[in-house]
Structure formats: structure tokens, C-alpha cells
Amino acid sequence: MLVAAVLTVLLLLAVVLSLSLGTPYVAPADVLRALSGAGTPYDLVVFDLRLPRVVLAAVAGAAFGIAGTLIQSVARNPLASPDVIGITQGAGLAATVALTSGMAAVLVAPTALVGGLLAAVLLFALGARHGLAAQRFVLAGVAVAFGFRALTEVVMLTADPIDGLRAQIWLIGTLAGKGWTEAAWIAGTLLVLLPVLAWAGWALNSTALDDDTARGVGLRPVARRIGLAGTGVLVAAMVTAQVGAVDFVALVAPQVARRLVRAERPPLVCAALLGALLLVLADLAGRRLLAPTQLPAGVLTAAIGGPYLIFLLLRGRRRSS
Amino acid sequence: MLSTRDLVAGYDERTVLDGLDLDLPADAFTVIVGPNACGKSTLLRTMARLLTPRRGTVLLDGTAIRELPTREVARRLGVLPQSPLVPEGVTVADLVGRGRQPYQRWWRQWSSEDGAAVDQAMALADVTDLADRPVDSLSGGQRQRVWIAMTLAQDTDALLLDEPTTFLDLAHQVEVLDLLHRLRVERGRTVVAVLHDLNQAARYADHLVAMRAGAVVAAGPPREILTADLVRDVFGLACVVVPCPVTGAPLVVPAYTGGNSAGAASLSVGGLGGSAGSESVGGAGGSVGSAVTGDPDSSTASVPGARPTTGDAATPLAGSHPSKGL
């Protein structure tokens, strides 16, 4: 509870900071005044230029955090995330095909969504035997991921170099030039899934029990895993289709949140908040570090998340030894 | 309470139980024994609906268990699988709380009733002091008591346990079995356990089920059915059955094999207590002491030495508290 409150405050601070920094610089007080609807000279900058992207970062980050938590819990593996089990690669292949075949720009995201969902279907078909057991689920996902990645490379190499570069940037994941539309798709998905997510937040608690014990206390572990994993890949496919393959948020947010609340399983709400915070900060850093050159958010999430996870791992090992 | 009708069950290609009919008494401590791979765990898992039978039914109070919602079954029947996986980092109170799962929904997660049931279960299993400890930091005996506490929190009439004493040292085995015994006597629970140790089975069971090759060879009170013939039939082991000096329950003593189990078995039966060897020495007490001490190399005849401390209390203990005398 306390952790969630602190994370919310930090997220709001990061949002204000992100709205304030840039060219032109808008003082935080003016940002707040503009947000309250008082009518300031900065309304255009705050509302039209920066807010859509910051909101998208927050919503997408939250979605990555949720997807990662669900997938990691079913896989019983802290390394599992949408880009390990092939969802990202499925969306990536579809987006690459769309971008290199001259498809209309508005069709890229829907195509990527279809690709991600196809990968999910394949993952379930391969992993479903023996009730979607953790290890089989991960192995099936790794196989799907490698398959789609190989196909993506083939498409890239045979494509026009300029199109290939656009696909490359999409694959890294960037929020540049995106805003309300993408945010609305992701937020809409989360909103529709809200009852399912409320159930999932509770059902996650019991994924740590082995199947016999779970059945003994009246659970249906296989149905539960399919529900949780299905929700996770659905969210992952949607968010990846909208913002591209932003690395590491889905992997790191659940693990950091778990350590912050000292729970044995990643907590859903805190992972969502942390994912949002991480992506807002990563996008801000990407915008400002080498300004006016913009770095894709995906580069920054990997750069921030990687070392932080290493730090946590080292600290964890010392404590447990 | 629990019955099976024409039960056929197994794994993949292998059929383990083939047409099993069995009735387990209510309000009793039933122990299932038998050699490795005889199907006792399969039977327990099928009765606990952890394994779906290929044919036949398991009846819980007369209703086919498959037709009951699993959540309702979980309120009537608790089960402790063989060596369950300990979730990483979870505390004792948390794990015991999982036993309340059948009473919860995602929109109604924790009630004061749940809290009371968890407290009571932890007190019964004597793990209240460990409540805030991570389960993976506990010893095997403590851990087993925590698992039992979890099934107790389920607040069920019946409890099925698959080898609850495996991997425990003798003192902890007795501790766990005493707990189960207390549950039956003081709480009126029906307890069904698979055990490896015949002597513990005889000591604690009200009702003994002996299995071999997927079939029930004998079932009934241990004092009536546990004989040297039964042990030879079921386990292929030559032995002497004598009354336990502490409880009076049948005590199975393997025959002397001289380190050569195949050839020496028949020899030693003769050497050990003469004619008593292949028959049950019986529930009659009395002459048994002499049968045991009649061992020519009486270097191991420690039983009489132990008797002065426990001997006179032997019979009265049998029904109440099997290990209090120790």
C-alpha cells in the first residue's frame, strides 16, 4: 500500500517534470497551472506537444508492467517477458512486413497486433500440452521467438534499406510521433480487461502452489494459468503493436516491484505503476540526453533497467547467502 | 465417507488400479500400506480427485466426487500431496492462509473467519511460533507441520495425506502421526494416510488397508488383520508379528536373514522363536516376551530391558495416545 502510494507520487512528479523539460522550458508551476485549465501561454506546448506522449508513456509502461507480471508468474521465471516468449517477435515480424511493403501507416499497428496474437496462438498450441506447465510454456515461447526473429531478419535483408531502417526503429520501440490514438488503444484494452485484471491480481497469489496442492485447495490450476497467460499476452500484443518492442520494462518492472514490496510474487498494481514510471523517465531521458537528437525510449529502458536489475540481483544474493 | 467403485486409474500407458472397490470408514484413522508401486499413492490421489480415473467413481458421502464443484470438495476433503513444492519466500502464516482458498472469491478475499481458522490450524499443528518465518527456512519436520496446518485451515471433515512422514527423522515422524491421531480423537476428523512403516501403521491406524499390485489384499483393524502371513503375502517378507510392548498393537519384526535376504530367510524363521516364525504370534501378549528373548544370540534382546519403564502402562495406552508413554 505504502509502496503503491510512493510510486504514484513519483509517477506524478515524473509526468510534471516531463511536461516541463524541453524547448521551450516550462516552469513546473506553469505546467500545473496549464493542467488546471487556467489558460496559459504554454497550453499549446503542454497539451498538444508533450502531454499526449507522456500519457502514452505512462499507459504503455503500465501495460508492459502488467503483461510482464502475468507472464512471469505463469512461467514461474523472472526472466520471462513478452520478448522472451515470442509475442514481441510476432508483432515485430508483422510490423516489419507492413513497413517494408508500403502499407499505409495507420495499418502498421493493427497488423502488428495480429502478428502478436498469432504468436500467442502458436505459443499456446505448443505449450498447452501437460496443462501449460511452466517450463514447457517458456520453451515453447523461446522457440516461437527465435522462429519469428529469423523470419524478420529475412524480410529486413530483402527489403529496401530505407524501409529496413524504419522497421529497425520500430523494433527498438519509440514514442516519437505517437500520442492520444496509441494511448487510447492501450488504455481501452486495459479498461475492458479491468474485471479480468482484478481477478488476476488475486489469482496470481496461488500460481506458486504446485498443481496437486492447488487442486487440493479447490483451484483449477490449468484453467487459471491459461486465463492469466492469455490476459498477459493479450496486453503484451496490444501495447507492443502500439509503441513497438520497448525492451526490458516488462522484464524489470515486476521484479523491481516484487523486491520493493518484499513479496514472493510480483504485485500487479505496483508493477504497473513502476512500469509507467520507468517508461516516462526513459522517454524523457531519450528526448533530452542528446537533444535535439532523440533516442528511442527502448534504448533507454534497457540502459536504465539493465544495471538496476544487476544491482538488485547482487544485493539479493548477498542477503540470501 | 469415501468409497471407490470399480475404480480404474493409472498414468499414461500403465494401469495401476484395475477395478478397485473400497469403503473407508468415517471418523477413523485409516492407513494404506503396501510395497512400492502397489498403487497406494495412486489410490489416494484418485480419491482426492488429483488424478482423474479412467473408469469407475470415487464417492464422497455417497456422491460422485467428479460431479461436485472442486471448491465444494475442498471444503469437505483436505489433501496433502507427497512432498509438495514450497513456494519461495512465502511465510508460514501466508502458506497456512492458502488453505482458506475454497472459502474465498476474488471479490471477497479475506474474512475474520479465515483469520480465526488460520490461527486455530496453526495452534493445532503447533506452528504458531513460526508464523512469520519463511517456510523454506524451516526444518523438514516443521515444514511438514506447516503443510498439515494448511490443510487444517481448510476446515474439512476428512484429510488425505500421502506419505506425510517421508524424509522425517523418527521423532518428527512420531510427532506428525501423534498430531493426526489427535485430530481423529479430539476433533472427530476422518484421516486417511499412506504410510511406509508397517509398525507405525499398526500403531496408529483404526483401519488398515493392505494393497499389492493395485488390489486390496486385506482391510480391517490392524490387530485383526496384521499377521505374518499377510506381511508375506503383501511384501514377500518373512517376519514375526508380536504385540508392541508399549501399545499392544501388532509389531512386525523381519525375520533374521544373516545378511542374505534370499537364502537365509527360511532358515532364520526357524531360528527365531521356533514354530512362531511363520505364524502370527498373535495379539495375546503373554508368551511373546519369551518368544523374542528366545533368540539364541540375545545380544539384541533390548526389549525386555525397556519394559520396566513402559511395560505396565502398555495396554491402557493403546486406545488413547500412542506415544505418550514414550
Side-chain angles (χ1 to χ4, degrees):
Chain A
M1 232 24 222
L2 177 70
V3 174
V6 170
L7 285 175
T8 309
V9 171
L10 286 178
L11 177 60
L12 292 177
L13 286 177
V15 166
V16 171
L17 194 67
S18 197
L19 292 173
S20 148
L21 293 180
T23 323
Y25 169 78
V26 181
D30 290 328
V31 169
L32 292 177
R33 207 158 342 121
L35 286 178
S36 68
T40 63
Y42 305 108
D43 277 9
L44 177 77
V45 174
V46 170
F47 277 112
D48 296 347
L49 295 181
R50 290 184 192 159
L51 191 61
R53 187 164 161 174
V54 173
V55 169
L56 174 62
V59 170
F64 274 122
I66 288 169
T69 303
L70 296 176
I71 290 167
Q72 286 177 4
S73 298
V74 173
R76 289 195 189 159
N77 191 326
L79 288 178
S81 66
D83 55 332
V84 170
I85 61 164
I87 307 303
T88 308
Q89 286 76 8
L93 173 62
T96 306
V97 169
L99 287 166
T100 55
S101 65
M103 211 181 264
V106 284
L107 290 179
V108 173
T111 310
L113 178 62
V114 170
L117 293 178
L118 274 179
V121 169
L122 201 57
L123 167 69
F124 275 82
L126 288 172
R129 203 182 293 175
H130 303 302
L132 209 66
Q135 203 171 10
R136 198 181 166 92
F137 177 67
V138 175
L139 281 177
V142 169
V144 171
F146 273 104
F148 278 107
R149 186 174 299 149
L151 289 175
T152 308
E153 312 259 299
V154 171
V155 175
M156 285 272 218
L157 289 172
T158 55
D160 178 75
I162 304 289
D163 289 339
L165 192 64
R166 282 170 61 210
Q168 194 72 56
I169 290 173
W170 190 97
L171 288 177
I172 294 170
T174 176
L175 305 183
K178 295 170 184 165
W180 290 129
T181 318
E182 290 80 6
W185 276 106
I186 301 168
T189 307
L190 292 182
L191 215 58
V192 169
L193 290 176
L194 203 59
V196 182
L197 292 173
W199 164 80
W202 175 71
L204 281 174
N205 280 328
S206 58
T207 50
L209 296 177
D210 62 275
D211 283 8
D212 273 2
T213 310
R215 287 196 187 96
V217 296
L219 296 172
R220 283 170 299 160
V222 174
R224 180 161 282 221
R225 274 201 294 274
I226 290 173
L228 290 172
T231 312
V233 299
L234 198 63
V235 172
M238 176 52 94
V239 62
T240 307
Q242 298 301 333
V243 301
V246 177
D247 254 338
F248 243 63
V249 179
L251 175 74
V252 167
Q255 290 306 313
V256 176
R258 180 176 82 82
R259 285 168 172 81
L260 286 178
V261 302
R262 296 170 194 279
E264 89 276 13
R265 294 280 120 186
L268 199 58
V269 174
C270 286
L273 287 169
L274 204 69
L277 177 64
L278 190 59
L279 196 49
V280 168
L281 289 178
D283 188 49
L284 173 64
R287 277 197 299 133
R288 296 310 306 158
L289 274 185
L290 296 180
T293 307
Q294 297 208 354
L295 294 174
V299 173
L300 270 298
T301 50
I304 300 172
Y308 190 52
L309 187 63
I310 291 171
F311 165 72
L312 283 177
L313 285 175
L314 290 176
R315 215 182 51 166
R317 183 182 302 170
R318 204 176 309 141
R319 196 185 48 194
S320 65
S321 66
Chain B
M1 181 75 218
L2 267 172
S3 319
T4 69
R5 292 287 172 268
D6 189 28
L7 199 64
V8 179
Y11 304 92
D12 298 324
E13 301 296 296
R14 208 162 58 90
T15 301
V16 180
L17 306 175
D18 199 355
L20 193 74
D21 290 300
L22 184 67
D23 290 287
L24 298 183
D27 307 322
F29 188 165
T30 298
V31 175
I32 305 171
V33 295
N36 291 334
C38 73
K40 51 192 194 300
S41 279
T42 306
L43 172 62
L44 194 94
R45 282 169 50 83
T46 313
M47 286 197 299
R49 53 92 172 84
L50 302 182
L51 188 69
T52 310
R54 292 205 196 122
R55 206 181 70 207
T57 39
V58 173
L59 300 172
L60 175 61
D61 295 323
T63 318
I65 205 165
R66 232 180 320 168
E67 279 153 31
L68 295 168
T70 181
R71 178 184 294 270
E72 197 199 317
V73 174
R75 294 182 194 174
R76 293 159 66 177
L77 187 75
V79 52
L80 182 58
Q82 198 173 348
S83 46
L85 193 79
V86 176
E88 216 177 303
V90 86
T91 63
V92 168
D94 202 358
L95 188 64
V96 176
R98 307 293 168 94
R100 298 304 291 171
Q101 192 85 42
Y103 300 89
Q104 296 169 350
R105 294 284 191 174
W106 65 265
W107 61 85
R108 185 175 46 76
Q109 298 186 6
W110 192 261
S111 66
S112 53
E113 228 171 276
D114 292 332
V118 167
D119 288 345
Q120 199 188 19
M122 288 199 297
L124 253 173
D126 196 22
V127 292
T128 309
D129 293 342
L130 308 172
D132 296 323
R133 296 264 301 274
V135 180
D136 45 17
S137 73
L138 302 180
S139 72
Q142 292 170 324
R143 214 180 274 194
Q144 197 62 2
R145 290 209 313 268
V146 170
W147 282 113
I148 292 173
M150 189 198 81
T151 54
L152 290 180
Q154 255 174 275
D155 199 20
T156 56
D157 284 338
L159 205 57
L160 306 187
L161 306 100
D162 195 356
E163 296 188 17
T165 53
T166 311
F167 304 125
L168 302 185
D169 63 42
L170 188 57
H172 285 120
Q173 291 179 19
V174 169
E175 197 174 284
V176 164
L177 291 167
D178 277 351
L179 169 61
L180 297 178
H181 176 80
R182 246 180 23 241
L183 285 173
R184 205 273 293 158
V185 174
E186 294 169 17
R187 306 264 155 179
R189 305 281 172 88
T190 302
V191 181
V192 181
V194 167
L195 292 182
H196 258 305
D197 189 306
L198 262 182
N199 290 328
Q200 288 177 349
R203 175 178 183 140
Y204 287 93
D206 305 308
H207 187 79
L208 189 70
V209 175
M211 290 181 69
R212 190 194 59 202
V216 172
V217 178
R223 282 162 206 249
E224 290 171 21
I225 67 160
L226 188 56
T227 62
D229 284 342
L230 181 74
V231 175
R232 200 182 47 220
D233 268 8
V234 171
F235 290 92
L237 176 77
C239 71
V240 180
V241 175
V242 296
C244 167
V246 176
T247 63
L251 188 67
V252 174
V253 183
Y256 181 68
T257 61
N260 178 357
S261 52
S266 56
L267 252 177
S268 62
V269 171
L272 210 163
S275 63
S278 58
E279 297 153 19
S280 166
V281 182
S287 65
V288 175
S290 62
V292 173
T293 49
D295 186 344
D297 328 308
S298 57
S299 58
T300 55
S302 57
V303 177
R307 284 194 83 152
T309 53
T310 57
D312 45 359
T315 322
L317 265 175
S320 63
H321 225 294
S323 345
K324 216 170 222 171
L326 297 173

